[in-house]
Amino acid sequence: MRPDLEIIQQWVQRGQHVLDLGCGDGTLLDFLQRERGASGFGLEINPEHITTCMGRGVSVIEQNLDSQGLDNFDDGMFDVVLMTQALQAVRRPDRVIEEMLRVGREGIVTFPNFAHWRLRWGLTLSGRMPESNALPYKWYNTPNIRLCTFKDFEALCKQKGIRIKSRRVVDGQHQNSWLARLWPNLLGEIAIYRITREES
Amino acid sequence: MPDSVPSDSVGIVSPQTIAFNTPLELACGQTLEEYELVVETYGTLNEDASNAVLICHALSGHHHAAGYHCADDRKPGWWDSCIGPGKPIDTNRFFVVSLNNLGGCHGSTGPSSINPATGKPYGPDFPVITVTDWVHSQARLADRLGIQQWAAVVGGSLGGMQAMQWSLSYPDRLRHAVIIASTPKLSAQNIAFNEVARQAITSDTEFHDGRYYDFDTVPRRGLMLARMVGHITYLSDASMGEKFGRELREEAFKFGYDAEFQVESYLRYQGERFSETFDANTYLLMTRALDYFDPAWHTEGDLARALTPATCEYLVLSFSTDWRFSPARSEEMVNAMISARKKVSYAEVDAPWGHDAFLIPTPRYTDIFTAYMGRVARETGA
């Protein structure tokens, strides 16, 4: 399993009802169903991924977050709403986050950090849009249209009164090095946030 | 049939007639004392009878879903594209049961059958049958075949409604319901089209209040019109455009009212052919069954609440250009299932053929159907 998914699965409790936004081929939900007795749905738009989910017994709904939102889900119907590596690809990440915490008690979000030193360095040196393992596209064909830094995300949470329960910052190999812990916005490549509106 | 049986065909099949003599109470309040169902089966029932799949047919469908009746058959069964060895409903793994529903005109007891009480065809005396009645009769068929629980109940359009009703009437007797190109209830527009079809039939002078059998005639004209209007709703604007455009049968306008455009002669041909093989009273009955279907009728329109008893998993599929039962109608169903915390998967398949797309294999449709049924097979030991 992808290392970020490995971290996320530890945050899902036994028997929880889970919604996975952009669930891909359903690897994580499949794991959570089998190992954690979790239930729930994945939302996906990629036809191959949808077929794979259906073949492995993961409940998947073809639904586009940008055009359809989460209107069809009731308030608080999920324990956890997951969104791995998709926040930067939706048109209104702020609204998606609001919606995640409307339909779920807790959200788990991962996204690439645009302030990682290699991206800053690349832009400074070459004067061109940076590319990396986490962001392997050209500026004109990238699905990642809403890039942000860890600081940006945390500022947005603060503005919306969302509490960050925990944060794990990892590098490209998903290792949680002491350096990345020290200067996350500079040295962390991907962050995994656990957010909620509930009081601690 | 092709010169030899294709390797992915169930081959030559023959229907069987099964008689039931336990009275069946119907939603309308009447009781059918005895009745017969015509059935075809494909594949082999496994030892613990866990690999059975029920196929529910749509408005003009019947029991002959796959294979050929004889070597001279021009066309295979109506869903041959999806049922057979290696096909989405794989007959190497599943035991497939396909029947002609009560009220039908392909051998099961219906308006054209002889009423034992009078010795004459039932005609208009045949009771109006509902989707729920069908499901009850299908449950008795399952009993007779020794099937306690279906691995899946599968249907398109009106067949999808039966699959849904199964999950509510007999929740523990199916593991999966596959609902394709269907709707949780007809819209006013859907009912309006049905009404035009019924009016076409009942206003035909040969209809004789439904007793046309006694006059040795059939309301052919009415049935043809009914089918023509129905047929338009099965196709998309784009697929009709592609197939016929504004093409004329001859080079120039004739400034008359005969069939000059290709689409006109196509519709006439389809209508005529249909009127030669289908029973008008059955057409009335089937359209009424469509009109009446509404599982949320007893829950003040709350479909999620109506779904409470269901325990099966659902697969819901819609087609992008289907305007008869559009993707939005499937999504209504899916959203109610989500609200009711049922397990459901949903996809909208891009296909240009309108409602008819559920009968036409396209790569994505086939892939999804195969993947889902493959998983059903694994899970049920098929």
Side-chain angles (χ1 to χ4, degrees), chain B residues 19-222:
Chain B
F20 297 82
N21 50 24
T22 313
L24 182 69
E25 281 182 35
L26 304 168
C28 64
Q30 295 188 49
T31 302
L32 264 185
E33 296 300 329
E34 53 189 55
Y35 55 92
E36 291 180 340
L37 295 176
V38 175
V39 179
E40 281 183 11
T41 67
Y42 323 113
T44 313
L45 188 63
N46 62 8
E47 217 155 89
D48 54 354
S50 63
N51 69 333
V53 171
L54 176 68
I55 308 295
C56 302
H57 70 73
L59 202 163
S60 60
H62 44 68
H63 54 281
H64 184 39
Y68 301 84
H69 279 160
C70 63
D72 303 331
D73 264 0
R74 212 168 44 86
K75 276 181 166 179
W78 59 269
W79 218 11
D80 195 80
S81 60
C82 290
I83 304 167
K87 288 179 181 170
I89 301 172
D90 188 345
T91 50
N92 287 331
R93 307 177 81 173
F94 291 115
F95 175 65
V96 180
V97 178
S98 174
L99 78 157
N100 183 214
N101 275 330
L102 268 183
C105 55
H106 293 87
S108 292
T109 303
S112 51
S113 308
I114 299 297
N115 181 351
T118 63
K120 289 210 273 185
Y122 282 98
D125 299 332
F126 196 82
V128 171
I129 305 281
T130 65
V131 168
T132 310
D133 295 331
W134 282 330
V135 168
H136 291 321
S137 68
Q138 291 160 359
R140 290 191 181 175
L141 173 62
D143 294 341
R144 187 70 68 85
L145 297 171
I147 297 159
Q148 177 47 40
Q149 186 186 55
W150 300 102
V153 176
V154 182
S157 195
L158 177 57
M161 295 176 178
Q162 293 160 59
M164 180 182 232
Q165 189 58 49
W166 258 97
S167 73
L168 309 179
S169 296
Y170 298 97
D172 51 353
R173 295 200 68 177
L174 74 166
R175 295 180 67 101
H176 295 267
V178 179
I179 302 170
I180 307 172
S182 195
T183 175
K185 58 174 186 281
L186 258 56
S187 67
Q189 189 193 47
N190 293 146
I191 296 170
F193 275 113
N194 282 349
E195 170 58 7
V196 173
R198 283 190 293 265
Q199 279 294 320
I201 290 168
T202 55
S203 62
D204 186 323
T205 51
E206 300 297 314
F207 183 64
H208 299 290
D209 291 327
R211 299 196 190 278
Y212 45 89
Y213 319 97
D214 300 345
F215 295 82
D216 208 19
T217 182
V218 286
R220 187 156 288 148
R221 199 103 213 121

